[in-house]
């Protein structure tokens, strides 16, 4: 059952071939077995089992709520969940229990999804490795895959060379990749869903800005954040997006229902497609393997009759700097509310309000967060505002225009790499600091956030090391359905292999035949 | 709370802002923007306040008010204060400082609630003017329904920026005075601060650009010494609120949903009668003087009281206004009561005026009745008249007899009258009144006496 698509499992539930409780218990046991991945900060076992019980009642009465009823899901720990601790992997919010659900969480629950838990991340979603949270780093399940291990010369039982998941939504990625749930919510501000999706062999989707509500998503950069979706196949993403998309009166930045729901991805005539390849994305740092796969993908479309053309996004080279100025400025603003006064961590120092604030924020925030706050405040000072913030906004507009021009020239979808390389070992990743890594790793993804466009990373093939590589498709604003349709077609062509997770195979949870998942035991 | 996006715009707030802008003759900006103003303070949970610093919803208006001067306050001058802008903002919470326990208590109930800030240009010259201008603003806001604008309840908060300069020179350094919770204290604080600044400058000192609090017990302003020097609020556009777009009849899209858009012209048509128009109308409608009209509006509830009396009495408006302003208001002021606390109801006063109008009682009797009514013992005017036997004599013949008796009984006075002693007739009238137990109309007595004495 675990290897099936969401719709298949949903059908099985409706037909009684499996019950929500069985599914739930299976996922909970896998969570326990894969605890070493550190994907979850909170496992909401009791909640999930209760939800499973209720889902079961509905199924017995023949009244399931929809395709997500009884389906285990996980949520990144920067989404508010009522009654369940929400920490953002920070000391600042340790012990914080929100009194309400984020809109997207509520929508999942209203459809009967089972909440398995809150997943790990970089502190306050700042980072590209999921290594900088107070609960420790997340390990990429592929570190323990047969595909990777058999190609390593290291001691198979040693653990010091485990790989990062990418970030900042690494916990959600690991949760889905390790079969602990069928879908997970992440967030995407500069690539935080697409990056770990690529490193973990998953579909990582970033919707158009304004399509999905941000109410309840603890904000990083209000003008760029979106909730992201992790699944094992494109069709599953469409199912989830169909539930999440839509105007929310609590979020003034959501648009009034611009797309048709539910989302059903039909067949696509590739010969009528025009794919754009941005030439500025061909950078020297790009690994030769990914460059090759990118090229092969372009050839694939062309061989099926699509028009594949080179386009130019001339302001690409300014994008990352511009992103940093705007990102840190908004971060400085959004983090101002953490003063320890009403919720979260409060320092014991109470000599004066100011002293308490300073100590609370020193104790509650990591260096990474504090660094961004200080930078952001610098850019927002009266004397700097014009030269940095306003200038960055102007450059942002140029970057948006670059994309518009590319689409206006007849391009339907852009095809780019998602990451510079496959997942790297943790020990190597930490050789550079968070800021450096973010600047490097966001290179293909952050311009999309600045333009508010939809984008999706689709797993393509394994590298020579046996690790996943993903490619990114970028679509026009609010053309999410078309984008996913292209991605679905592509996914079918490439037939990305299933992860052969030692633990799950050893106990018979996953049974593979020719690299494909055939059956799953639920005991 | 965590994850909550800063403010979804409240339609009613926008409408209130537009109507206030229109009433204050402002230009309404069809597009206005929201910003975050950052500072750390315990009553500001987000660490920033949403405001409209770059482009507010309305600007460049004016407020006209009347100042009554002279002994009888009958000389009226019209003055104007320019409105710089009107902006929508979020409220912060409230801080209550407990110096005894060195702690501060924060009440967040009002945090995030929509506020309207009206910024006036420095055209006001003294405390009294400021109080009158603010009072006029209060009345406008109440007429619009924008706010109850009660200062004591914090519905209208006023901060005064005060500076002094020699004529012809540029404006001096200003201080901001806060903690003004009544018009009276507003005026007092401003006048104190003006004097303080003048004294300071004349002594060779300088004025600091600071915030001061008005200590109403001591009647002076006190420095609220902030540790920071100049605050940099690090203004940034509010990313969660798109630009506020307003429409008018010309720019309204054909398919616009009236629930979703705010139409300036539609709101303009819905503007109620503003105080200045009301005052004019009252003068026309009731034939009262402008200063009467001014007072009627200025005292809370007085207009309603007046209009209730008018409705229930046959007496002429001129007489009613006389009694309302000179008697009722006088009594209220003596005991520091609001109109709503008046022991004399409009119905009671109306009844009294009817008695007076039908000449059932004399003016002086009426005053007596009023005083009795004021005691609030539940008796009606008619009851009091009966109890105290204050009815005017209706029997003409009996009065003639009393007059004759007075004439007959006081030949010396009659002699004085005939000798054209002006005071003598009053003495005679007084005598008749006494015998009539004050139940005769003095005017009638005079008429009868004069006829009898062939004057």
């Amino acid at each position: 059952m675990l290897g099936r698509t969401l719709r298949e499992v949903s059908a099985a539930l409706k037909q009684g071939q499996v019950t929500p409780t069985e599914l739930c218990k299976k996922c909970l046991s896998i969570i326990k077995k894969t605890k070493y991945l550190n994907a979850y900060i909170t496992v909401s076992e009791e909640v999930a089992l209760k939800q499973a019980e209720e889902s079961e009642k509905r199924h017995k009465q023949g009244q399931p709520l929809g395709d997500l009823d009884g389906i285990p899901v996980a949520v990144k720990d920067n989404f508010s969940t009522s009654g369940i601790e929400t920490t953002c992997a920070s000391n600042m919010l340790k012990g914080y229990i929100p009194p309400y659900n984020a809109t997207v969480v509520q929508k999942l629950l209203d459809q009967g999804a089972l909440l398995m838990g809150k997943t790990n991340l970089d502190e306050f979603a700042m980072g590209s490795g999921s290594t900088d949270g107070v609960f420790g780093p997340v390990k990429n399940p592929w570190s323990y895959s047969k595909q990777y291990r058999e190609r390593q010369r290291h001691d198979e039982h040693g653990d010091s060379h485990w790989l990062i998941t990418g970030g900042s939504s690494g916990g959600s990625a690991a949760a889905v990749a390790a079969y602990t749930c069928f879908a997970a919510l992440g967030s995407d501000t500069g690539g935080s869903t697409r990056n770990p999706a690529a490193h973990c062999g998953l579909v990582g989707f970033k919707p158009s800005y304004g399509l999905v509500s941000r109410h309840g998503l603890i904000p990083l950069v209000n003008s760029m954040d979106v909730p992201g979706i992790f699944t094992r196949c494109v069709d599953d993403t469409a199912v989830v997006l169909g539930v999440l998309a839509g105007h929310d009166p609590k979020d003034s930045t959501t648009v009034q229902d611009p797309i048709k729901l539910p989302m059903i991805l039909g067949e696509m005539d590739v010969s009528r497609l025009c794919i754009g390849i941005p030439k500025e994305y061909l950078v020297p740092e790009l690994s030769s393997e990914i460059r090759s796969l990118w090229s092969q993908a372009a050839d694939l479309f062309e061989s099926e009759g699509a028009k594949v053309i080179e386009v130019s996004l001339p302001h690409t080279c300014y994008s990352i700097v511009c992103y940093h100025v705007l990102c840190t400025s908004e971060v400085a603003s959004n983090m101002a509310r953490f003063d320890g006064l009403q919720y979260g961590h409060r320092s014991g120092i109470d000599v004066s309000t100011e002293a308490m604030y300073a100590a609370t924020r020193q104790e509650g925030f990591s260096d990474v967060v504090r660094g961004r706050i200080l930078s952001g405040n610098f850019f927002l000072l009266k004397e700097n505002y014009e030269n940095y913030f306003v200038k960055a906004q102007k450059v942002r507009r140029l970057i948006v225009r670059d994309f518009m021009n590319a689409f206006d020239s007849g391009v339907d979808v852009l095809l780019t790499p998602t990451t510079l390389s496959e997942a790297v070992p943790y020990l190597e990743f930490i050789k550079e600091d968070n800021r450096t890594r973010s600047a490097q790793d966001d290179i293909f993804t952050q311009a999309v956030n600045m333009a508010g466009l939809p984008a999706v990373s689709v797993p393509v093939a394994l590298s020579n090391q046996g690790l996943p590589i993903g490619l990114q498709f970028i679509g026009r604003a609010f053309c999410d359905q078309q984008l996913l349709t292209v991605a679905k077609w592509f996914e079918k062509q490439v037939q990305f292999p299933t992860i052969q997770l030692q633990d799950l195979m050893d106990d018979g949870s996953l049974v593979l035949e020719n690299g494909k998942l055939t059956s799953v035991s639920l005991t | 709370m965590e994850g909550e996006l800063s403010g979804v715009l409240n339609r009613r707030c926008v409408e209130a802002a537009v109507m206030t802008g229109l009433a204050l003759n402002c230009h309404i900006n069809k597009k206005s923007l929201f910003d975050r103003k950052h500072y750390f303070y315990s009553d500001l949970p987000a660490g920033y306040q949403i405001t409209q610093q770059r482009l507010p919803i309305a600007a460049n208006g004016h407020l006209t008010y009347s100042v009554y001067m002279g002994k009888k306050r009958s000389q009226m001058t019209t003055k104007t204060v320019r409105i710089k802008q009107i902006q929508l903002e979020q409220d912060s919470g409230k801080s209550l400082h407990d110096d005894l326990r060195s702690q501060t208590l924060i009440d967040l109930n009002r945090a995030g609630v929509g506020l309207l800030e009206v910024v006036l240009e420095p055209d006001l010259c003294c405390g009294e003017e400021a109080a009158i201008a603010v009072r006029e603003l209060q009345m406008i806001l109440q007429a619009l329904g924008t706010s109850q604008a009660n200062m004591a309840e914090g519905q209208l908060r006023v901060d005064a920026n005060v500076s002094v300069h020699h004529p012809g020179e540029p404006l001096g350094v200003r201080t901001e005075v806060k903690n003004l919770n009544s018009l009276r204290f507003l005026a007092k604080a401003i006048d104190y601060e003006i004097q303080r600044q003048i004294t300071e400058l004349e002594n060779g000192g300088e004025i600091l650009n600071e915030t001061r609090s008005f200590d109403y017990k001591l009647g002076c302003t006190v420095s609220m010494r902030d540790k920071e020097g100049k605050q940099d609020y690090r203004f940034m556009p509010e990313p969660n609120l798109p630009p506020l777009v307003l429409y008018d009849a010309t720019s309204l899209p054909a398919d616009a949903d009236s629930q979703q858009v705010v139409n300036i012209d539609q709101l303009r048509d819905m503007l109620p009668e503003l105080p200045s128009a009301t005052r004019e109308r009252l003068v026309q409608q009731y034939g009262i003087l402008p200063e009467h009209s001014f007072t009627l509006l200025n005292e809370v509830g007085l207009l309603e009281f007046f209009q209730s009396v008018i409705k229930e009495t046959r007496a002429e408006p001129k007489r009613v206004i006389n009694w309302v302003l000179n008697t009722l208001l006088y009594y209220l002021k003596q005991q520091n009561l609001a109109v709503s606390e008046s022991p004399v109801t409009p119905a009671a006063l109306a009844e009294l005026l009817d008695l007076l109008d039908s000449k059932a009682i004399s003016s002086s009797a009426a005053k007596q009745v009023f005083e009795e009514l004021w005691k609030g013992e539940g008796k009606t005017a008619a009851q009091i008249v009966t109890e105290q036997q204050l009815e005017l004599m209706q029997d003409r013949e009996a009065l003639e007899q009393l007059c004759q008796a007075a004439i007959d009984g006081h030949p010396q006075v009659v002699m004085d009258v005939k000798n054209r002693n002006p005071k003598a007739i009053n003495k005679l009238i007084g005598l008749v009144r006494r015998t009539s137990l004050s139940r005769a109309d003095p005017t009638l007595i005079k008429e009868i006496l004069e006829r009898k004495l062939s004057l």
Side-chain angles (χ1 to χ4, degrees), chain A residues 100 214 333 337 377 382, chain B residues 2 36 38 232 234 240:
Chain A
Y100 72 105
R214 287 182 297 116
S333 177
R337 71 194 59 196
N377 278 324
K382 221 189 237 167
Chain B
E2 244 340 273
R36 289 187 182 179
H38 299 89
D232 189 331
R234 290 163 284 130
N240 289 322

Side-chain angles (χ1 to χ4, degrees), chain A residues 35 52 87 105 161 191 267 273 293 302 318-319 329 334 364 370 424 438 456 483 493 516:
Chain A
K35 201 160 179 220
T87 67
V105 171
H161 294 278
E267 289 303 313
L273 209 58
L293 281 171
E302 207 162 35
Y318 305 115
S319 185
S329 299
N334 289 329
R370 296 208 317 271
V424 299
S438 297
V456 61
L483 178 68
Q493 309 307 309
K516 287 283 166 300

Side-chain angles (χ1 to χ4, degrees), chain A residues 129 189 383:
Chain A
T189 306
E383 68 241 29

Side-chain angles (χ1 to χ4, degrees), chain A residues 36 66 74 153 196 203 242 246 263 268 286 326 328-329 337 349 353 359 366 373 375 388 391 398 432 461 475:
Chain A
Y36 55 87
R153 270 174 267 140
V203 174
M263 185 161 297
M268 191 189 64
L286 182 62
L326 297 176
T328 53
S329 299
R337 71 194 59 196
I349 294 179
T353 316
S366 68
I373 293 173
S375 313
Y388 290 94
K391 193 129 262 175
L398 294 177
E432 301 279 10

Side-chain angles (χ1 to χ4, degrees), chain B residues 270-326:
Chain B
M270 283 166 55
L271 279 178
E273 186 182 67
L274 296 178
S276 49
T278 307
R279 283 190 285 257
E280 275 257 342
R281 177 171 59 80
L282 293 174
V283 168
Q284 299 303 322
Q285 188 175 354
Y286 299 114
I288 57 179
L289 295 175
E291 53 259 41
H292 295 161
S293 181
F294 179 82
T295 309
L296 277 181
L297 251 61
N298 212 40
E299 297 298 331
V300 179
L302 197 60
L303 176 61
E304 291 71 31
F305 192 102
F306 171 75
Q307 287 174 319
S308 298
V309 176
I310 292 273
K311 241 201 297 188
E312 301 189 39
T313 184
R314 285 188 321 259
E316 291 225 341
K318 285 209 175 107
R319 171 164 267 172
V320 178
I321 197 79
N322 183 20
W323 275 84
V324 167
L325 294 184
N326 297 336

Side-chain angles (χ1 to χ4, degrees), chain B residues 130-139 142 183 297-300:
Chain B
I132 297 173
V134 172
R135 175 81 190 106
E136 186 69 13
L137 178 63
Q138 250 182 345
M139 292 194 276
Q142 286 161 356
L183 291 172
L297 251 61
N298 212 40
E299 297 298 331
V300 179

